[in-house]
Amino acid sequence: MQPEDLPEILTLEADALSAWNRDQLEGELAQPTGFQFVVRRKGTDKVIAFLCGRVMVDEAEILKLSVVQSERRKGVGRQLLDFVVKFCSEKGVKNCFLELRVSNTAARNLYEKEGFSIIGKRNNYYIEPAEDAIIMKRKIENSNPNTIIR
Ligand SMILES: CC(C)(COP(=O)(O)OP(=O)(O)OC[C@H]1O[C@@H](n2cnc3c(N)ncnc32)[C@H](O)[C@@H]1OP(=O)(O)O)[C@@H](O)C(=O)NCCC(=O)NCCS
């Protein structure tokens, strides 16, 4: 993700629950421990998905994953998550965490398919609308246990 991608990402986020604004996105781009990726449609180069997260030594947290409405259910979310799991593995990450709304069945199914399991719940974690959060975790194998890419 580059600063010039922000207008397209803000459009993608416009109708989302807990949508991120420009300040939040710029804050993530400036995060020394952050990682941010976009998926583009071949041919048009349009941004169709993005993901933001952070790595803290051997733990990672996925903070945001969003696929544009018209491109959902085509495997894009799964492709992006697979990529991020490999990226984390190469960084020496052992566990990856994330939170989601309890009502978000689509995301929960996706994460369960990708090897995440529920490890806890946070009451009233989200606002507008208020909702509990599920916390999920996935163990990550190091692709090469003798090396870490920093
Ligand atoms: C959740 C989200 C990222 C899924 O992205 P996607 O590209 O549509 O997902 P994929 O096509 O890779 O789907 C992979 C699996 O996830 C599950 N899934 C995805 N969308 C689903 C839906 N609407 N209902 C039920 N299960 C769904 C299915 O198990 C699916 O596998 P299948 O198609 O073989 O049945 C997308 O719906 C999205 O951007 N939602 C809004 C933002 C959001 O909720 N982000 C996650 C918050 S933590």
Side-chain angles (χ1 to χ4, degrees):
M1 186 197 295
Q2 302 298 325
E4 54 270 28
D5 297 325
L6 294 192
E8 277 187 274
I9 291 170
L10 285 165
T11 307
L12 193 162
E13 275 289 271
D15 58 353
L17 284 181
S18 310
W20 279 15
N21 60 34
R22 179 175 281 276
D23 283 350
Q24 285 169 296
L25 289 162
E26 284 176 346
E28 280 313 305
L29 280 174
Q31 257 297 326
T33 59
F35 55 87
Q36 307 88 27
F37 298 108
V38 294
V39 180
R40 293 179 181 279
R41 169 67 52 219
K42 267 191 189 162
T44 64
D45 230 24
K46 183 176 178 263
V47 173
I48 56 170
F50 78 102
L51 183 151
C52 297
R54 301 215 188 141
V55 171
M56 291 135 289
V57 193
D58 61 356
E59 288 189 354
E61 184 172 7
I62 293 172
L63 301 170
K64 189 78 180 173
L65 164 62
S66 203
V67 177
V68 71
Q69 195 92 40
S70 58
E71 297 281 351
R72 287 185 191 165
R73 219 60 201 265
K74 297 181 185 173
V76 175
R78 213 163 170 184
Q79 180 191 12
L80 184 49
L81 260 186
D82 277 343
F83 175 86
V84 164
V85 166
K86 284 195 193 93
F87 168 84
C88 287
S89 166
E90 285 169 8
K91 293 264 177 203
V93 168
K94 295 199 174 105
N95 291 298
C96 182
F97 298 85
L98 55 86
E99 280 137 14
L100 65 151
R101 289 178 180 268
V102 287
S103 64
N104 195 344
T105 315
R108 183 170 159 179
N109 288 350
L110 166 65
Y111 294 133
E112 281 176 344
K113 274 200 171 158
E114 285 294 305
F116 285 82
S117 4
I118 296 172
I119 56 159
K121 196 173 149 190
R122 291 204 168 106
N123 293 331
N124 273 315
Y125 182 76
Y126 292 103
I127 54 166
E128 293 176 7
E131 195 173 350
D132 298 343
I134 293 171
I135 308 165
M136 299 184 89
K137 171 186 158 182
R138 181 197 150 139
K139 275 194 194 308
I140 295 187
E141 304 297 325
N142 191 336
S143 51
N144 184 346
N146 300 315
T147 61
I148 293 179
I149 302 174
R150 290 267 189 243

